Amino acid sequence: MTTVQGIGAQQTRATGSFVLPCFREEGTVGSTLRALDELARQKTDFAWEIIVVNDGSDDDTLGEATRAAATIQTPVRILSHRRNAGLGAGMRTGIQASNGDVVLAVDCDLSYSIDDISRLIDAWAESHPHVVIASPYMEGGASVRVPKPLAVRSQAANKFLNFTSYHDIKTLTGMVRAYDGPFIRSMSLKAEGPDIMVEIIYKAQILRARIIEIPATLNWAGLETRVSRSALTSTTSRMTTYRQLINGYLWRPFWVPLIPALVFGLVALVLTATGHLGWHGMAVGSSVLFFVLLVQSLMSLQSKRYFEELYNLGFSLKAVAPTEPIRTPSVEYVLDERNQGAVPRSLDEVDAAFATNAAPVEVVEEPSPNAGR
């Protein structure tokens, strides 16, 4: 929270952080920064900051971000990975650098509109859940002009993940979300690719976090260059979707051995009950496989339970310990109060700043010269 001392009273205002991971976004980062600045000036109940994470772009993303920052009012912090490390790494860097009571993860090309992002903020402000998801797959949501191969894979992956997850969440792979700041900064996240989105939901559900969805529109109209540039319909995209499907195993690992165990158990029961002695060997083999796979299923369930207990314990310990330093080598370009200049800080300074994750500085307003008249 930011404390503002006014005339005769002290007022407290919530803080908010926009986290903007960028890779080869020289054509969009400037307009996105200006759009977020306009939104920040509309949402005056919050004191906002924008954190740009340049994920080792080999174009002029860093330069465009620096120039655009100089034209807006909202404070901007620019962090640049020394190499491309992936969307997940960019998210982790931005989240740990944030100071907001609410943290908004935003895609650089605004495939979800500013209106959707505004409604995420409103939903968080209303009841302060741990996670608010912009969902194109829930009732009232929509997808517009998304390439068909990608749309089919994404919908299939989300339906499968919805089936395996603890709660009914329609969109588990989407990036655009609002997070409770202290909660998301305290989470131990490891993924470096897009699968960080599923990791966050999985670990949030382990912690029994409150997660809500709001309908939103994923709109790729006018983003044809993104398809060709990032090859989202390529083999890389397919592998990303397949990894998301594998992540469903995290929620229900015991089903993998349990399903064939039940099949073999049924075969053994039928053969024994019908007295097919010629199939005696198969009946015995099916019985053995039933018990072996059943034990494996129970062991998977036990291992999962141990993991969840340890993660809960680790979360509790981390909440009272300094935040771990960012693992991805990065440089912060320090801008002044007018977003001017770009002075690199050393890697040690950046890691030390992230490790302490200091609270925002109090802002004290000087009394007006006309006070008391």
Side-chain angles (χ1 to χ4, degrees):
M1 306 288 284
T2 297
T3 300
V4 179
Q5 292 181 350
I7 302 172
Q10 189 179 71
Q11 299 177 338
T12 301
R13 186 163 55 143
T15 56
S17 303
F18 294 109
V19 173
L20 192 66
C22 303
F23 177 63
R24 297 178 180 171
E25 295 287 358
E26 64 178 358
T28 60
V29 66
S31 59
T32 299
L33 282 175
R34 288 186 285 272
L36 292 177
D37 176 58
E38 183 177 350
L39 177 60
R41 286 187 280 117
Q42 294 173 3
K43 299 293 184 180
T44 55
D45 291 342
F46 294 83
W48 291 100
E49 66 175 356
I50 302 174
I51 298 172
V52 178
V53 183
N54 172 39
D55 187 27
S57 300
D58 52 8
D59 60 3
D60 196 30
T61 296
L62 179 59
E64 287 294 331
T66 304
R67 288 187 287 273
T71 67
I72 66 178
Q73 299 177 16
T74 307
V76 178
R77 297 172 61 193
I78 302 176
L79 299 111
S80 188
H81 289 169
R82 298 171 187 266
R83 58 174 177 80
N84 177 242
L87 178 60
M91 285 281 294
R92 289 190 289 112
T93 295
I95 287 169
Q96 292 299 335
S98 67
N99 293 302
D101 298 315
V102 59
V103 176
L104 276 294
V106 182
D107 56 347
C108 199
D109 54 19
L110 293 182
S111 54
Y112 291 87
S113 70
I114 286 293
D115 288 339
D116 285 335
I117 297 170
S118 176
R119 291 190 300 109
L120 283 175
I121 298 169
D122 294 340
W124 183 87
E126 181 179 354
S127 59
H128 291 198
H130 296 92
V131 185
V132 187
I133 301 172
S135 176
Y137 300 134
M138 70 178 295
E139 184 177 354
S143 297
V144 177
R145 300 283 294 276
V146 179
K148 188 173 181 178
L150 178 62
V152 170
R153 291 198 302 271
S154 178
Q155 291 177 18
N158 278 281
K159 285 182 180 179
F160 175 74
L161 291 169
N162 173 264
F163 172 75
T164 60
S165 66
Y166 294 134
H167 305 295
D168 184 19
I169 298 177
K170 301 300 184 184
T171 304
L172 293 94
T173 60
M175 171 185 167
V176 179
R177 300 170 182 169
Y179 299 103
D180 178 83
F183 175 76
I184 192 65
R185 286 189 289 271
S186 295
M187 290 187 74
S188 178
L189 302 172
K190 304 300 179 187
E192 294 193 349
D195 47 337
I196 192 173
M197 310 311 167
V198 178
E199 181 189 11
I200 290 173
I201 298 300
Y202 170 57
K203 291 181 174 178
Q205 289 189 340
I206 290 176
L207 298 168
R208 302 300 184 262
R210 191 156 65 92
I211 304 171
I212 65 174
E213 291 182 285
I214 64 169
T217 299
L218 175 61
N219 190 346
W220 277 42
L223 299 179
E224 290 79 8
T225 55
R226 173 175 175 175
V227 178
S228 59
R229 174 177 57 79
S230 55
L232 286 171
T233 57
S234 67
T235 302
T236 302
S237 173
R238 287 194 293 271
M239 292 304 297
T240 297
T241 303
Y242 299 153
R243 284 197 300 269
Q244 304 287 22
L245 291 172
I246 293 172
N247 284 332
Y249 178 75
L250 295 173
W251 272 283
R252 314 284 181 185
F254 53 89
W255 281 106
V256 174
L258 181 60
I259 291 175
L262 295 175
V263 172
F264 283 118
L266 181 62
V267 170
L269 181 63
V270 170
L271 291 177
T272 302
T274 57
H276 285 79
L277 299 181
W279 294 83
H280 183 69
M282 185 173 181
V284 172
S286 296
S287 299
V288 171
L289 286 171
F290 167 72
F291 285 108
V292 169
L293 291 171
L294 182 62
V295 169
Q296 285 187 349
S297 177
L298 294 174
M299 290 176 64
S300 296
L301 185 60
Q302 183 184 46
S303 298
K304 175 180 170 59
R305 180 64 180 268
Y306 286 160
F307 167 77
E308 293 182 353
E309 293 290 343
L310 288 172
Y311 188 81
N312 272 281
L313 177 62
F315 182 86
S316 300
L317 293 174
K318 188 172 181 180
V320 296
T323 304
E324 62 180 337
I326 297 302
R327 302 179 188 279
T328 303
S330 58
V331 174
E332 181 173 9
Y333 292 84
V334 182
L335 308 180
D336 62 19
E337 65 275 7
R338 297 182 180 178
N339 291 335
Q340 301 286 337
V343 182
R345 296 168 67 182
S346 71
L347 182 60
D348 291 340
E349 289 177 314
V350 173
D351 280 345
F354 291 172
T356 56
N357 202 20
V361 178
E362 285 193 347
V363 178
V364 181
E365 283 190 354
E366 295 295 334
S368 169
N370 296 322
R373 293 186 181 180

